[in-house]
Amino acid sequence: MSESSNRPPISLSPGQWSFTRWKTIGQLEALEVHHPLFQATLFLQGAHLASFIPQDEADWLWMSPTARYEPGRAIRGGIPICWPWFGDPARNAPEVRKRIHTDSAHGFARTALWKLEDVRESAHEVEISLSLDANEDFADAWSGHALALLTFSFSIRGCQLALTTTNLANDPLAFSQALHTYLPTSDIARTRISGLGDSQYIDTLDNWEYKRQEGPVYFDGETDRIYESGEPLNVVTPRGSRKLSPVGSDSTVVWNPGPEKAARLSDFPDSAWKTMLCVETANAGGDYRVLNKGQSHTLGVFIGRKA
């Protein structure tokens, strides 16, 4: 799914990094990328991308100004990784739900400590890979054994995430997931998403009823929808446009908390709903995935400029 240059970045060990460095932010360890063409910040907890800033531009991701960087606490903003289930366990398909032993939403990957696998750098791109071995250490929350490998690719053209799940157990593995991307806007009322027109969606705020989208998606208060679509999208805000190109996805989640829910959210200013939205590349709703022993699936998204 790469949209980067043909010349692969060179794999490097920590002492050889030119653009990447370790940094402690709050109580968490992070990797900071300072490339001449872009900057990025990536936490090991949750494999959480918090920032991507191309040269001479504002951050392409939204982070809550009240986010807290503490062990075991989900970070509000950026791109949280929801895995190996998405949303409320009770709203997942029976095959997914039967493995979950907690009421917590969005899985354990977003608060787990991931392992650094590789850093590759070139004059045009930086690629970082992290892994999570979901084994018996997570038995209190989930039954299964799977490996999650997440590769981030940064370039002047944009940023790319590729999350590959491999089933390491003998029995089939059903799971749901999402790349929970927070995007900034200067005015949610003047923001729209094109590419979902004529798609069917589940309106979770209206008894999970199925509805059909007509034209672009606009925001008028709280929005929480699971679209049955994995098509490329354009997010248009007063400050510019972003194109999201998904891979391995047949569902897209669109979310904004609106004023009432924003007031109840943790690490989220009451008025912040006016300046953000979430467009999540997902395998959610009926788009959950099943892997037999040794099989893999990759969910990915490339975030770039609108063509």
Side-chain angles (χ1 to χ4, degrees):
M1 60 175 288
S2 178
E3 297 195 18
S4 58
S5 62
N6 293 326
R7 181 178 298 173
I10 300 172
S11 181
L12 301 169
S13 60
Q16 300 173 307
W17 295 344
S18 297
F19 310 119
T20 307
R21 65 195 68 170
W22 289 105
K23 183 173 183 179
T24 300
I25 301 176
Q27 300 175 41
L28 302 180
E29 289 300 304
L31 289 166
E32 280 199 341
V33 179
H34 292 271
H35 192 280
L37 300 177
F38 52 84
Q39 298 180 35
T41 302
L42 174 61
F43 287 91
L44 263 64
Q45 177 172 286
H48 192 123
L49 181 61
S51 178
F52 175 70
I53 308 173
Q55 184 182 32
D56 300 326
E57 295 191 41
D59 204 321
W60 283 19
L61 302 177
W62 180 88
M63 280 294 298
S64 171
T66 57
R68 288 188 275 178
Y69 306 100
E70 302 171 359
R73 187 182 190 90
I75 302 170
R76 178 73 71 183
I79 307 182
I81 306 302
C82 303
W83 185 94
W85 68 89
F86 170 78
D88 183 350
R91 288 293 185 176
N92 276 263
E95 295 92 333
V96 178
R97 189 168 62 241
K98 71 181 182 181
R99 292 183 172 274
I100 306 171
H101 314 309
T102 174
D103 294 331
S104 298
H106 295 320
F108 50 78
R110 64 185 182 145
T111 54
L113 190 62
W114 291 56
K115 175 185 175 184
L116 176 63
E117 292 289 348
D118 199 11
V119 174
R120 294 171 173 261
E121 297 183 338
S122 75
H124 304 286
E125 183 178 7
V126 172
E127 187 177 278
I128 299 175
S129 296
L130 304 176
S131 68
L132 178 64
D133 185 359
N135 54 27
E136 62 274 4
D137 292 345
F138 300 94
D140 288 347
W142 183 73
S143 297
H145 188 194
L147 179 68
L149 178 66
L150 182 53
T151 298
F152 300 83
S153 300
F154 307 112
S155 71
I156 191 63
R157 289 167 294 280
C159 65
Q160 176 178 290
L161 286 72
L163 173 60
T164 299
T165 300
T166 302
N167 181 15
L168 301 179
N170 292 321
D171 54 329
L173 172 67
F175 64 103
S176 58
Q177 58 184 342
L179 306 174
H180 197 303
T181 305
Y182 285 78
L183 299 170
T185 177
S186 58
D187 184 358
I188 191 64
R190 294 192 292 147
T191 298
R192 67 183 187 274
I193 304 170
S194 60
L196 293 170
D198 204 37
S199 297
Q200 185 170 260
Y201 67 89
I202 299 171
D203 189 341
T204 72
L205 303 178
D206 189 10
N207 297 313
W208 286 67
E209 288 191 5
Y210 279 92
K211 300 180 181 181
R212 187 161 294 278
Q213 180 67 38
E214 296 182 5
V217 179
Y218 292 92
F219 295 86
D220 181 17
E222 185 178 357
T223 304
D224 193 351
R225 302 171 181 175
I226 303 173
Y227 285 85
E228 295 182 343
S229 174
E231 295 299 312
L233 306 175
N234 286 316
V235 179
V236 182
T237 76
R239 293 181 178 173
S241 303
R242 296 284 171 262
K243 183 177 181 180
L244 276 65
S245 302
V247 167
S249 165
D250 290 315
S251 54
T252 300
V253 179
V254 175
W255 180 75
N256 179 282
E260 294 182 5
K261 186 167 186 177
R264 303 193 303 268
L265 289 175
S266 61
D267 307 336
F268 194 95
D270 289 355
S271 63
W273 65 276
K274 300 177 182 179
T275 58
M276 54 70 63
L277 68 153
C278 285
V279 182
E280 308 170 40
T281 305
N283 298 128
D287 181 37
Y288 69 93
R289 299 300 165 109
V290 180
L291 299 175
N292 291 321
K293 179 182 179 181
Q295 287 186 325
S296 299
H297 171 263
T298 298
L299 173 72
V301 65
F302 182 83
I303 305 172
R305 295 175 180 83
K306 182 180 177 182

